[in-house]
Amino acid sequence: MKHSLPQATDTAKAAAFDDNELIRTAAKVTRDLNAVRPMIYWSDLAASAVIGYGAMIAAIMVDDIILAVLSGVISVLALYRAGSFIHELTHIRRGSLPGFRFAWNALVGIPLLLPSFMYEGIHNLHHARTRYGTAEDPEYLPLALMKPYTVPLFVLVSALAPIGLFIRYALLAPLSALIPPLRKLVVERYSGLIINPEFRRRPPEGEFKKQWYVQEIAASIWAIALLTAVATGFLPMKAFLIVVAIAAGSVVLNQIRTLVAHLWENDGEVMSVTEQYLDSVNVPPPALLPALWAPVGLRYHALHHLLPGVPYHGLGEAHRRIAEALPKESTYYRANHEGLWGLVAGLVRGSSGHAASGQPDKAS
């Protein structure tokens, strides 16, 4: 860690290094913001999906190349926003949004081959008190401590995600139902939105197991149907490639956002809540572009780690209240950053500086 807080080597020590004033104040002034407002969720998801798919159809049908590209960009941004609700699904309390999980999967998760089981049961481990930033965190890599080429590679590989998802659902899913060893591999390695290559997912249990199988079967049928439609000429290759390009664009945009969601400076030790907060990133107003590349509250990612129970529509108000309640020298402000490119440049400089120092690199 590069922060000035003392290093923690176990849970007891980590707790001792928390900024208790920050934690208490944040909880106190935002207590009334924890309630989900269903109308905001439903209208936001519906509008994002309608705009995203409408622009996708326009990109396929219009002949003017400029209008087609513009439509494609709009589709990428709108579907990226719609897809980002998968993050909210992992945090909303059971029963607070009846039907929303089903609707999201029907509108976004299955069509984009990213059903919610790929994130549910994964993201909660990233928020686990003693897992964040360790080898048991499926969503953490110490990118700032790795080789410099890791940063661009991290983004470029994501462009291949649509191909990987077609393989996952059209080929591996049905085959793994017949071959138990393959099924074990698919569940452990290819059933989660993770970035930690050492992480192995456990088989689903209880009610979640049923949700997993229903979503996986639906995604498998959809993937096979799409590929069959292309092979038979029912779906023109041009249209299919545009759909794949838009899907890839959304994934790449999310990967760029992930790249700057944290500072990625932890070397695997257990971190205090404050250290986790400082290793995460807020990009608050007056910056405007984060509303596009970090939608659905993701521009307040550090604040989200501090208050994971606050729904996305309450994070802006939570930030305003906490900023008003704490002095400028507070730890709270140290997680605030100005924009995307400064964060990317800092990450590249950090990995380059680490490599130049001669220190051993983390796995690349």
Side-chain angles (χ1 to χ4, degrees):
M1 289 283 298
K2 294 182 179 179
H3 303 304
S4 60
L5 294 175
Q7 281 292 324
T9 57
D10 55 46
T11 306
K13 290 182 179 179
F17 302 135
D18 273 323
D19 185 333
N20 291 319
E21 179 186 5
L22 167 60
I23 295 171
R24 283 195 300 266
T25 300
K28 179 180 179 181
V29 303
T30 63
R31 197 164 292 142
D32 63 321
L33 298 177
N34 290 315
V36 167
R37 299 174 65 181
M39 184 58 69
I40 293 179
Y41 274 82
W42 283 105
S43 59
D44 196 339
L45 175 62
S48 298
V50 168
I51 293 171
Y53 290 124
M56 177 186 286
I57 293 172
I60 292 172
M61 299 190 68
V62 299
D63 294 326
D64 186 286
I65 185 65
I66 295 178
L67 288 178
V69 171
L70 179 60
S71 297
V73 171
I74 293 173
S75 182
V76 166
L77 292 172
L79 290 180
Y80 169 49
R81 182 177 184 87
S84 296
F85 278 93
I86 195 174
H87 178 256
E88 290 296 301
L89 288 177
T90 67
H91 288 285
I92 55 177
R93 295 185 182 90
R94 183 181 296 274
S96 60
L97 277 174
F100 192 80
R101 176 176 286 99
F102 175 84
W104 184 88
N105 277 291
L107 288 172
V108 183
I110 303 305
L112 297 184
L113 299 181
L114 288 170
S116 62
F117 82 82
M118 298 278 283
Y119 205 52
E120 295 182 278
I122 291 291
H123 184 63
N124 64 304
L125 299 179
H126 179 58
H127 281 274
R129 176 67 177 79
T130 59
R131 284 180 183 256
Y132 176 92
T134 71
E136 296 181 338
D137 185 345
E139 296 182 34
Y140 198 95
L141 273 179
L143 292 170
L145 309 181
M146 296 167 71
K147 292 181 173 61
Y149 65 75
T150 306
V151 174
L153 186 63
F154 181 78
V155 175
L156 292 174
V157 168
S158 67
L160 301 175
I163 297 174
L165 291 171
F166 273 112
I167 294 173
R168 163 65 174 83
Y169 288 106
L171 180 63
L172 295 182
L175 284 179
S176 68
L178 303 173
I179 307 172
L182 178 60
R183 183 61 186 173
K184 182 176 184 294
L185 177 66
V186 168
V187 169
E188 288 183 348
R189 302 292 301 276
Y190 309 124
S191 296
L193 300 180
I194 65 175
I195 64 173
N196 178 359
E198 303 302 319
F199 180 79
R200 300 293 181 269
R201 187 169 196 178
R202 296 178 179 178
E205 298 176 348
E207 179 64 22
F208 182 59
K209 182 177 182 178
K210 179 181 178 181
Q211 294 179 21
W212 176 318
Y213 286 166
V214 169
Q215 293 172 21
E216 185 173 20
I217 290 170
S220 182
I221 292 172
W222 176 247
I224 292 171
L226 276 179
L227 294 177
T228 301
V230 175
T232 59
F234 181 78
L235 179 65
M237 180 60 72
K238 175 187 174 183
F240 177 71
L241 292 178
I242 290 174
V243 170
V244 170
I246 289 172
S250 295
V251 175
V252 168
L253 189 54
N254 181 67
Q255 195 79 334
I256 293 173
R257 193 274 312 167
T258 300
L259 189 68
V260 297
H262 300 284
L263 301 183
W264 311 107
E265 296 177 341
N266 191 49
D267 57 5
E269 295 183 354
V270 174
M271 304 168 71
S272 70
V273 172
T274 305
E275 287 178 311
Q276 293 177 29
Y277 171 76
L278 290 174
D279 190 51
S280 305
V281 169
N282 289 331
V283 190
L288 298 177
L289 287 180
L292 295 179
W293 60 261
V296 193
L298 293 172
R299 69 185 301 165
Y300 298 105
H301 200 69
L303 178 55
H304 168 68
H305 271 267
L306 191 64
L307 299 170
V310 175
Y312 83 99
H313 54 68
L315 289 173
E317 176 63 14
H319 169 74
R320 185 188 67 80
R321 292 183 186 182
I322 297 170
E324 286 183 353
L326 292 171
K328 293 297 182 182
E329 61 270 17
S330 168
T331 302
Y332 181 72
Y333 295 92
R334 292 170 55 193
N336 294 341
H337 300 266
E338 293 183 357
L340 174 66
W341 300 117
L343 288 163
V344 173
L347 182 59
V348 172
R349 283 196 303 269
S351 59
S352 299
H354 180 79
S357 69
Q359 298 179 36
D361 288 299
K362 296 291 181 181
S364 59

